[in-house]
Amino acid sequence: MKMCKTTIIILSLLFFSQTDLFGQQTNARTNAINIYTYQLDTTKSDTNTITFQFDTIQVTAQVQKNRISATCFFKQSKSLLTINFYSRDNKLVSVKAREQSPIMNDMFSMSIFYYDNGKLFDENYFSTIRPCMAIPVGISVYELYGYNPNLNAGFLKKFVLQLYDKIKAA
């Protein structure tokens, strides 16, 4: 009887590991890209640094094979955006844009874009929060943590592609 219960538990765990737990959907393509970007992030490579002005944005980019890390300082709004570009065979596969909160140094807002043959196929957005900090009703995350509301999803989708082209041309 004990062996039967153990077998059922093991089979249940295997079954649940193959399904979407707690309503969270997983995408095999995004998971594969996440593993690839992690490998690029944790592998040392030769780096070239370039600095340039893009409109009113000061850009410093660390260029490596298949990975570019760009720090963008928006002079007018004083916003700081760190963008990591990941490519494979000279084709963009993922972009991670992280906006630092100007109010709290341990808070950030993150936007992740996934590409397949130059076309956006998935995107993910999240912000860090302080669990002990109450969020007042009627106040957005932008207001609470001081994020720039102009650095929204629509802007970032266009901006990251323009910046990527500008860096590749430099």
Side-chain angles (χ1 to χ4, degrees):
M1 189 67 171
K2 189 172 186 168
M3 180 68 157
C4 183
K5 286 183 181 180
T6 305
T7 305
I8 290 172
I9 290 171
I10 291 171
L11 289 175
S12 296
L13 289 173
L14 289 173
F15 174 75
F16 285 121
S17 69
Q18 299 299 316
T19 61
D20 298 335
L21 297 176
F22 304 108
Q24 296 179 2
Q25 294 183 351
T26 58
N27 183 324
R29 289 194 301 175
T30 59
N31 286 343
I33 290 172
N34 287 336
I35 291 169
Y36 175 70
T37 61
Y38 175 78
Q39 290 170 337
L40 290 175
D41 284 340
T42 57
T43 303
K44 289 187 177 184
S45 180
D46 292 335
T47 303
N48 294 324
T49 302
I50 58 173
T51 302
F52 61 93
Q53 193 78 19
F54 186 47
D55 292 328
T56 61
I57 306 163
Q58 181 63 41
V59 179
T60 303
Q62 306 289 324
V63 181
Q64 299 173 334
K65 183 178 182 192
N66 297 325
R67 182 180 185 272
I68 299 169
S69 182
T71 302
C72 304
F73 180 69
F74 293 75
K75 290 182 178 180
Q76 293 175 345
S77 66
K78 307 290 188 235
S79 297
L80 183 64
L81 194 62
T82 303
I83 305 172
N84 291 326
F85 300 93
Y86 303 92
S87 61
R88 182 182 288 144
D89 301 325
N90 291 322
K91 292 182 183 175
L92 193 62
V93 294
S94 181
V95 176
K96 296 179 182 178
R98 176 181 163 152
E99 180 186 1
Q100 180 64 48
S101 168
I103 297 172
M104 300 174 195
N105 63 357
D106 60 335
M107 301 287 112
F108 62 88
S109 177
M110 189 80 152
S111 302
I112 305 173
F113 305 109
Y114 298 93
Y115 299 91
D116 188 11
N117 290 322
K119 294 186 180 183
L120 181 68
F121 75 87
D122 198 6
E123 54 199 273
N124 189 9
Y125 305 93
F126 63 90
S127 298
T128 54
I129 60 169
R130 287 207 173 131
C132 58
M133 185 173 167
I135 299 175
V137 176
I139 291 183
S140 71
V141 173
Y142 289 108
E143 294 171 292
L144 186 62
Y145 295 115
Y147 299 125
N148 185 343
N150 295 321
L151 299 179
N152 57 37
F155 171 80
L156 287 175
K157 286 179 192 178
K158 295 174 188 173
F159 176 71
V160 297
L161 294 176
Q162 291 174 354
L163 182 61
Y164 182 71
D165 290 340
K166 183 94 170 161
I167 293 170
K168 292 303 270 183

CSV table of all heavy atoms in Angstrom, one decimal, residues 105-151:
chain,number,residue,atom,x,y,z
A,105,ASN,N,16.5,53.1,-4.3
A,105,ASN,CA,17.6,52.5,-5.1
A,105,ASN,C,17.5,51.0,-5.3
A,105,ASN,O,18.2,50.5,-6.2
A,105,ASN,CB,19.0,52.9,-4.6
A,105,ASN,CG,19.2,52.4,-3.2
A,105,ASN,OD1,18.3,51.8,-2.6
A,105,ASN,ND2,20.4,52.6,-2.6
A,106,ASP,N,16.6,50.4,-4.6
A,106,ASP,CA,16.5,48.9,-4.7
A,106,ASP,C,15.3,48.5,-5.5
A,106,ASP,O,14.9,47.3,-5.6
A,106,ASP,CB,16.5,48.2,-3.4
A,106,ASP,CG,15.4,48.7,-2.4
A,106,ASP,OD1,14.9,49.8,-2.6
A,106,ASP,OD2,15.0,47.9,-1.5
A,107,MET,N,14.6,49.5,-6.1
A,107,MET,CA,13.3,49.2,-6.8
A,107,MET,C,13.6,49.5,-8.3
A,107,MET,O,14.4,50.4,-8.7
A,107,MET,CB,12.2,50.1,-6.4
A,107,MET,CG,11.8,50.0,-5.0
A,107,MET,SD,10.9,48.5,-4.6
A,107,MET,CE,12.1,47.7,-3.6
A,108,PHE,N,13.0,48.7,-9.2
A,108,PHE,CA,13.1,48.8,-10.6
A,108,PHE,C,11.9,48.3,-11.3
A,108,PHE,O,11.1,47.5,-10.8
A,108,PHE,CB,14.4,48.2,-11.1
A,108,PHE,CG,14.4,46.7,-10.9
A,108,PHE,CD1,13.8,45.8,-11.9
A,108,PHE,CD2,15.0,46.1,-9.8
A,108,PHE,CE1,13.9,44.5,-11.7
A,108,PHE,CE2,15.0,44.8,-9.6
A,108,PHE,CZ,14.5,43.9,-10.6
A,109,SER,N,11.7,48.8,-12.5
A,109,SER,CA,10.6,48.3,-13.4
A,109,SER,C,11.3,47.6,-14.6
A,109,SER,O,12.3,48.1,-15.1
A,109,SER,CB,9.8,49.5,-13.9
A,109,SER,OG,8.8,49.1,-14.8
A,110,MET,N,10.7,46.5,-15.0
A,110,MET,CA,11.4,45.7,-16.0
A,110,MET,C,10.4,45.4,-17.2
A,110,MET,O,9.2,45.1,-16.9
A,110,MET,CB,11.8,44.4,-15.4
A,110,MET,CG,12.7,43.5,-16.3
A,110,MET,SD,14.4,44.1,-16.2
A,110,MET,CE,15.3,42.7,-16.6
A,111,SER,N,10.9,45.5,-18.4
A,111,SER,CA,10.2,45.1,-19.6
A,111,SER,C,11.1,44.1,-20.4
A,111,SER,O,12.2,44.4,-20.6
A,111,SER,CB,9.9,46.3,-20.5
A,111,SER,OG,9.2,47.3,-19.7
A,112,ILE,N,10.5,43.0,-20.8
A,112,ILE,CA,11.2,42.0,-21.5
A,112,ILE,C,10.5,41.7,-22.8
A,112,ILE,O,9.3,41.5,-22.8
A,112,ILE,CB,11.4,40.7,-20.7
A,112,ILE,CG1,12.0,41.0,-19.4
A,112,ILE,CG2,12.2,39.7,-21.5
A,112,ILE,CD1,12.1,39.8,-18.4
A,113,PHE,N,11.2,41.8,-23.9
A,113,PHE,CA,10.6,41.5,-25.2
A,113,PHE,C,11.3,40.3,-25.9
A,113,PHE,O,12.5,40.2,-25.8
A,113,PHE,CB,10.8,42.8,-26.1
A,113,PHE,CG,10.3,44.0,-25.5
A,113,PHE,CD1,11.1,45.0,-25.1
A,113,PHE,CD2,8.9,44.2,-25.4
A,113,PHE,CE1,10.6,46.2,-24.5
A,113,PHE,CE2,8.4,45.3,-24.8
A,113,PHE,CZ,9.2,46.3,-24.4
A,114,TYR,N,10.5,39.5,-26.5
A,114,TYR,CA,11.1,38.3,-27.2
A,114,TYR,C,10.8,38.4,-28.7
A,114,TYR,O,9.6,38.7,-29.1
A,114,TYR,CB,10.4,37.0,-26.6
A,114,TYR,CG,10.7,36.8,-25.2
A,114,TYR,CD1,9.8,37.3,-24.2
A,114,TYR,CD2,11.8,36.2,-24.7
A,114,TYR,CE1,10.0,37.1,-22.9
A,114,TYR,CE2,12.0,36.0,-23.4
A,114,TYR,CZ,11.1,36.5,-22.5
A,114,TYR,OH,11.4,36.3,-21.1
A,115,TYR,N,11.8,38.1,-29.5
A,115,TYR,CA,11.7,38.2,-31.0
A,115,TYR,C,12.0,36.9,-31.7
A,115,TYR,O,12.8,36.1,-31.2
A,115,TYR,CB,12.7,39.3,-31.5
A,115,TYR,CG,12.4,40.7,-30.9
A,115,TYR,CD1,13.1,41.1,-29.7
A,115,TYR,CD2,11.5,41.5,-31.5
A,115,TYR,CE1,12.8,42.3,-29.2
A,115,TYR,CE2,11.3,42.8,-31.0
A,115,TYR,CZ,12.0,43.2,-29.8
A,115,TYR,OH,11.7,44.4,-29.3
A,116,ASP,N,11.3,36.7,-32.8
A,116,ASP,CA,11.6,35.6,-33.6
A,116,ASP,C,11.6,36.1,-35.1
A,116,ASP,O,10.6,36.6,-35.6
A,116,ASP,CB,10.5,34.5,-33.5
A,116,ASP,CG,10.8,33.2,-34.2
A,116,ASP,OD1,12.0,33.0,-34.7
A,116,ASP,OD2,9.9,32.4,-34.3
A,117,ASN,N,12.8,36.0,-35.7
A,117,ASN,CA,13.0,36.5,-37.0
A,117,ASN,C,12.6,38.0,-37.2
A,117,ASN,O,11.9,38.4,-38.1
A,117,ASN,CB,12.3,35.7,-38.1
A,117,ASN,CG,12.9,34.3,-38.3
A,117,ASN,OD1,14.2,34.2,-38.2
A,117,ASN,ND2,12.1,33.3,-38.4
A,118,GLY,N,13.0,38.8,-36.2
A,118,GLY,CA,12.7,40.2,-36.2
A,118,GLY,C,11.3,40.6,-35.8
A,118,GLY,O,11.0,41.8,-35.8
A,119,LYS,N,10.5,39.7,-35.4
A,119,LYS,CA,9.1,40.0,-35.0
A,119,LYS,C,8.9,39.7,-33.6
A,119,LYS,O,9.2,38.6,-33.1
A,119,LYS,CB,8.1,39.2,-35.9
A,119,LYS,CG,8.1,39.6,-37.3
A,119,LYS,CD,7.0,38.8,-38.1
A,119,LYS,CE,7.0,39.3,-39.5
A,119,LYS,NZ,6.0,38.7,-40.3
A,120,LEU,N,8.3,40.7,-32.9
A,120,LEU,CA,7.9,40.5,-31.5
A,120,LEU,C,6.9,39.4,-31.3
A,120,LEU,O,5.8,39.5,-31.9
A,120,LEU,CB,7.4,41.9,-30.9
A,120,LEU,CG,7.1,41.9,-29.5
A,120,LEU,CD1,8.3,41.8,-28.6
A,120,LEU,CD2,6.4,43.2,-29.1
A,121,PHE,N,7.2,38.4,-30.5
A,121,PHE,CA,6.1,37.4,-30.3
A,121,PHE,C,5.7,37.3,-28.9
A,121,PHE,O,4.7,36.6,-28.6
A,121,PHE,CB,6.6,36.0,-30.8
A,121,PHE,CG,7.6,35.3,-30.0
A,121,PHE,CD1,7.2,34.5,-28.9
A,121,PHE,CD2,9.0,35.5,-30.2
A,121,PHE,CE1,8.2,33.8,-28.2
A,121,PHE,CE2,9.9,34.8,-29.5
A,121,PHE,CZ,9.5,34.0,-28.4
A,122,ASP,N,6.4,37.9,-27.9
A,122,ASP,CA,6.0,37.8,-26.5
A,122,ASP,C,6.6,39.0,-25.8
A,122,ASP,O,7.6,39.5,-26.2
A,122,ASP,CB,6.4,36.5,-25.9
A,122,ASP,CG,5.6,36.2,-24.6
A,122,ASP,OD1,4.7,36.9,-24.3
A,122,ASP,OD2,6.0,35.2,-24.0
A,123,GLU,N,6.0,39.4,-24.7
A,123,GLU,CA,6.5,40.5,-23.9
A,123,GLU,C,6.1,40.2,-22.4
A,123,GLU,O,5.1,39.6,-22.2
A,123,GLU,CB,6.0,41.8,-24.4
A,123,GLU,CG,4.5,41.9,-24.5
A,123,GLU,CD,4.1,43.0,-25.4
A,123,GLU,OE1,3.9,44.1,-24.9
A,123,GLU,OE2,3.9,42.8,-26.6
A,124,ASN,N,6.9,40.7,-21.5
A,124,ASN,CA,6.6,40.6,-20.1
A,124,ASN,C,7.0,41.8,-19.4
A,124,ASN,O,8.0,42.4,-19.6
A,124,ASN,CB,7.4,39.4,-19.6
A,124,ASN,CG,7.0,38.9,-18.2
A,124,ASN,OD1,6.0,39.4,-17.6
A,124,ASN,ND2,7.8,38.1,-17.6
A,125,TYR,N,6.2,42.2,-18.4
A,125,TYR,CA,6.4,43.5,-17.6
A,125,TYR,C,6.2,43.2,-16.1
A,125,TYR,O,5.3,42.5,-15.8
A,125,TYR,CB,5.4,44.6,-18.0
A,125,TYR,CG,5.4,44.9,-19.5
A,125,TYR,CD1,4.5,44.2,-20.3
A,125,TYR,CD2,6.3,45.8,-20.0
A,125,TYR,CE1,4.5,44.5,-21.7
A,125,TYR,CE2,6.3,46.0,-21.4
A,125,TYR,CZ,5.4,45.4,-22.2
A,125,TYR,OH,5.4,45.7,-23.6
A,126,PHE,N,7.1,43.7,-15.3
A,126,PHE,CA,6.9,43.6,-13.9
A,126,PHE,C,7.7,44.7,-13.2
A,126,PHE,O,8.7,45.3,-13.8
A,126,PHE,CB,7.3,42.3,-13.4
A,126,PHE,CG,8.8,41.9,-13.5
A,126,PHE,CD1,9.7,42.2,-12.6
A,126,PHE,CD2,9.2,41.2,-14.7
A,126,PHE,CE1,11.1,41.9,-12.7
A,126,PHE,CE2,10.6,40.9,-14.8
A,126,PHE,CZ,11.5,41.2,-13.8
A,127,SER,N,7.4,45.0,-12.0
A,127,SER,CA,8.1,46.0,-11.2
A,127,SER,C,8.3,45.4,-9.8
A,127,SER,O,7.5,44.6,-9.3
A,127,SER,CB,7.2,47.3,-11.0
A,127,SER,OG,7.0,47.9,-12.2
A,128,THR,N,9.5,45.7,-9.2
A,128,THR,CA,9.7,45.3,-7.9
A,128,THR,C,8.9,46.1,-6.9
A,128,THR,O,8.6,47.3,-7.2
A,128,THR,CB,11.2,45.4,-7.5
A,128,THR,OG1,11.6,46.7,-7.7
A,128,THR,CG2,12.0,44.4,-8.3
A,129,ILE,N,8.5,45.6,-5.8
A,129,ILE,CA,7.7,46.3,-4.8
A,129,ILE,C,8.2,46.0,-3.4
A,129,ILE,O,9.0,45.0,-3.3
A,129,ILE,CB,6.2,45.9,-4.9
A,129,ILE,CG1,6.0,44.5,-4.7
A,129,ILE,CG2,5.6,46.4,-6.2
A,129,ILE,CD1,4.6,44.1,-4.5
A,130,ARG,N,7.9,46.8,-2.5
A,130,ARG,CA,8.2,46.5,-1.1
A,130,ARG,C,7.0,45.9,-0.5
A,130,ARG,O,6.0,46.5,-0.3
A,130,ARG,CB,8.7,47.7,-0.4
A,130,ARG,CG,10.0,48.2,-0.8
A,130,ARG,CD,10.7,49.0,0.3
A,130,ARG,NE,12.0,49.3,-0.1
A,130,ARG,CZ,12.6,50.5,0.0
A,130,ARG,NH1,11.9,51.5,0.4
A,130,ARG,NH2,13.8,50.6,-0.4
A,131,PRO,N,7.1,44.6,0.0
A,131,PRO,CA,5.9,44.0,0.6
A,131,PRO,C,5.4,44.7,1.8
A,131,PRO,O,4.2,44.6,2.1
A,131,PRO,CB,6.4,42.6,0.9
A,131,PRO,CG,7.8,42.5,0.5
A,131,PRO,CD,8.2,43.8,-0.1
A,132,CYS,N,6.3,45.4,2.5
A,132,CYS,CA,5.9,46.0,3.8
A,132,CYS,C,5.3,47.4,3.5
A,132,CYS,O,4.9,48.1,4.5
A,132,CYS,CB,7.0,46.1,4.7
A,132,CYS,SG,8.4,47.0,4.1
A,133,MET,N,5.3,47.9,2.3
A,133,MET,CA,4.9,49.2,2.0
A,133,MET,C,3.5,49.2,1.4
A,133,MET,O,3.2,48.6,0.4
A,133,MET,CB,5.9,49.9,1.0
A,133,MET,CG,5.6,51.3,0.7
A,133,MET,SD,7.0,51.9,-0.4
A,133,MET,CE,6.3,53.4,-0.9
A,134,ALA,N,2.6,49.9,2.0
A,134,ALA,CA,1.2,50.0,1.6
A,134,ALA,C,1.1,50.8,0.3
A,134,ALA,O,1.8,51.8,0.1
A,134,ALA,CB,0.3,50.6,2.6
A,135,ILE,N,0.3,50.3,-0.6
A,135,ILE,CA,0.1,51.0,-1.9
A,135,ILE,C,-1.2,51.7,-1.8
A,135,ILE,O,-2.3,51.1,-1.8
A,135,ILE,CB,0.1,50.1,-3.1
A,135,ILE,CG1,1.5,49.4,-3.2
A,135,ILE,CG2,-0.2,50.8,-4.4
A,135,ILE,CD1,1.6,48.3,-4.2
A,136,PRO,N,-1.2,53.0,-1.8
A,136,PRO,CA,-2.5,53.8,-1.7
A,136,PRO,C,-3.4,53.6,-2.9
A,136,PRO,O,-2.9,53.4,-4.0
A,136,PRO,CB,-2.0,55.3,-1.6
A,136,PRO,CG,-0.6,55.2,-1.2
A,136,PRO,CD,-0.1,53.9,-1.8
A,137,VAL,N,-4.7,53.6,-2.7
A,137,VAL,CA,-5.6,53.4,-3.7
A,137,VAL,C,-5.5,54.7,-4.6
A,137,VAL,O,-5.4,55.8,-4.1
A,137,VAL,CB,-7.0,53.3,-3.2
A,137,VAL,CG1,-8.1,53.2,-4.3
A,137,VAL,CG2,-7.1,52.0,-2.3
A,138,GLY,N,-5.6,54.5,-5.9
A,138,GLY,CA,-5.6,55.6,-6.9
A,138,GLY,C,-4.2,56.1,-7.3
A,138,GLY,O,-4.1,57.1,-8.0
A,139,ILE,N,-3.2,55.5,-6.8
A,139,ILE,CA,-1.8,55.9,-7.1
A,139,ILE,C,-1.2,54.8,-7.9
A,139,ILE,O,-1.2,53.6,-7.5
A,139,ILE,CB,-0.9,56.2,-5.9
A,139,ILE,CG1,-1.4,57.4,-5.2
A,139,ILE,CG2,0.5,56.4,-6.3
A,139,ILE,CD1,-0.6,57.8,-4.0
A,140,SER,N,-0.6,55.1,-9.1
A,140,SER,CA,0.0,54.1,-9.9
A,140,SER,C,1.4,53.8,-9.4
A,140,SER,O,2.0,54.5,-8.6
A,140,SER,CB,0.1,54.6,-11.4
A,140,SER,OG,1.0,55.7,-11.5
A,141,VAL,N,2.0,52.7,-10.0
A,141,VAL,CA,3.3,52.3,-9.6
A,141,VAL,C,4.3,53.4,-10.1
A,141,VAL,O,5.3,53.7,-9.4
A,141,VAL,CB,3.7,51.0,-10.3
A,141,VAL,CG1,5.1,50.6,-10.1
A,141,VAL,CG2,2.8,49.9,-9.7
A,142,TYR,N,4.0,54.1,-11.2
A,142,TYR,CA,4.8,55.2,-11.7
A,142,TYR,C,4.9,56.3,-10.7
A,142,TYR,O,6.0,56.8,-10.4
A,142,TYR,CB,4.2,55.8,-13.0
A,142,TYR,CG,4.3,54.8,-14.2
A,142,TYR,CD1,3.2,54.2,-14.7
A,142,TYR,CD2,5.5,54.6,-14.8
A,142,TYR,CE1,3.3,53.4,-15.8
A,142,TYR,CE2,5.6,53.8,-15.9
A,142,TYR,CZ,4.5,53.2,-16.4
A,142,TYR,OH,4.6,52.4,-17.5
A,143,GLU,N,3.8,56.7,-10.1
A,143,GLU,CA,3.8,57.7,-9.1
A,143,GLU,C,4.5,57.3,-7.8
A,143,GLU,O,5.2,58.0,-7.2
A,143,GLU,CB,2.4,58.2,-8.8
A,143,GLU,CG,1.7,58.9,-10.0
A,143,GLU,CD,0.2,59.1,-9.7
A,143,GLU,OE1,-0.5,58.1,-9.6
A,143,GLU,OE2,-0.2,60.3,-9.6
A,144,LEU,N,4.2,56.1,-7.4
A,144,LEU,CA,4.6,55.6,-6.1
A,144,LEU,C,6.2,55.5,-6.0
A,144,LEU,O,6.8,55.9,-5.1
A,144,LEU,CB,4.0,54.3,-5.7
A,144,LEU,CG,4.3,53.7,-4.4
A,144,LEU,CD1,3.7,54.6,-3.3
A,144,LEU,CD2,3.6,52.3,-4.2
A,145,TYR,N,6.7,54.9,-7.1
A,145,TYR,CA,8.2,54.7,-7.1
A,145,TYR,C,8.9,55.7,-8.0
A,145,TYR,O,10.2,55.6,-8.1
A,145,TYR,CB,8.5,53.2,-7.6
A,145,TYR,CG,7.9,52.2,-6.6
A,145,TYR,CD1,6.9,51.3,-7.0
A,145,TYR,CD2,8.5,52.1,-5.3
A,145,TYR,CE1,6.4,50.4,-6.1
A,145,TYR,CE2,8.0,51.2,-4.4
A,145,TYR,CZ,7.0,50.3,-4.8
A,145,TYR,OH,6.5,49.4,-3.9
A,146,GLY,N,8.3,56.6,-8.6
A,146,GLY,CA,8.9,57.7,-9.3
A,146,GLY,C,9.4,57.3,-10.7
A,146,GLY,O,10.2,58.0,-11.3
A,147,TYR,N,8.8,56.2,-11.3
A,147,TYR,CA,9.2,55.8,-12.6
A,147,TYR,C,8.6,56.9,-13.6
A,147,TYR,O,7.6,57.5,-13.4
A,147,TYR,CB,8.6,54.4,-13.0
A,147,TYR,CG,9.1,53.3,-12.1
A,147,TYR,CD1,8.2,52.5,-11.4
A,147,TYR,CD2,10.4,53.1,-12.0
A,147,TYR,CE1,8.6,51.5,-10.6
A,147,TYR,CE2,10.9,52.1,-11.2
A,147,TYR,CZ,10.0,51.3,-10.5
A,147,TYR,OH,10.4,50.2,-9.7
A,148,ASN,N,9.3,56.9,-14.8
A,148,ASN,CA,8.9,57.9,-15.8
A,148,ASN,C,7.8,57.3,-16.6
A,148,ASN,O,7.9,56.2,-17.3
A,148,ASN,CB,10.1,58.1,-16.7
A,148,ASN,CG,9.9,59.1,-17.8
A,148,ASN,OD1,8.7,59.5,-18.1
A,148,ASN,ND2,10.9,59.6,-18.4
A,149,PRO,N,6.6,57.9,-16.6
A,149,PRO,CA,5.4,57.3,-17.3
A,149,PRO,C,5.6,57.3,-18.8
A,149,PRO,O,4.9,56.6,-19.5
A,149,PRO,CB,4.2,58.2,-16.8
A,149,PRO,CG,4.8,59.4,-16.3
A,149,PRO,CD,6.2,59.1,-15.8
A,150,ASN,N,6.5,58.1,-19.3
A,150,ASN,CA,6.8,58.2,-20.7
A,150,ASN,C,7.6,56.9,-21.2
A,150,ASN,O,7.6,56.6,-22.4
A,150,ASN,CB,7.5,59.4,-21.1
A,150,ASN,CG,6.7,60.7,-20.9
A,150,ASN,OD1,5.5,60.7,-21.1
A,150,ASN,ND2,7.3,61.7,-20.3
A,151,LEU,N,8.2,56.2,-20.3
A,151,LEU,CA,8.9,55.0,-20.6
A,151,LEU,C,8.0,53.8,-20.5
A,151,LEU,O,8.3,52.8,-19.9
A,151,LEU,CB,10.2,54.8,-19.7
A,151,LEU,CG,11.2,55.9,-19.8
A,151,LEU,CD1,12.4,55.7,-18.8
A,151,LEU,CD2,11.7,56.1,-21.2
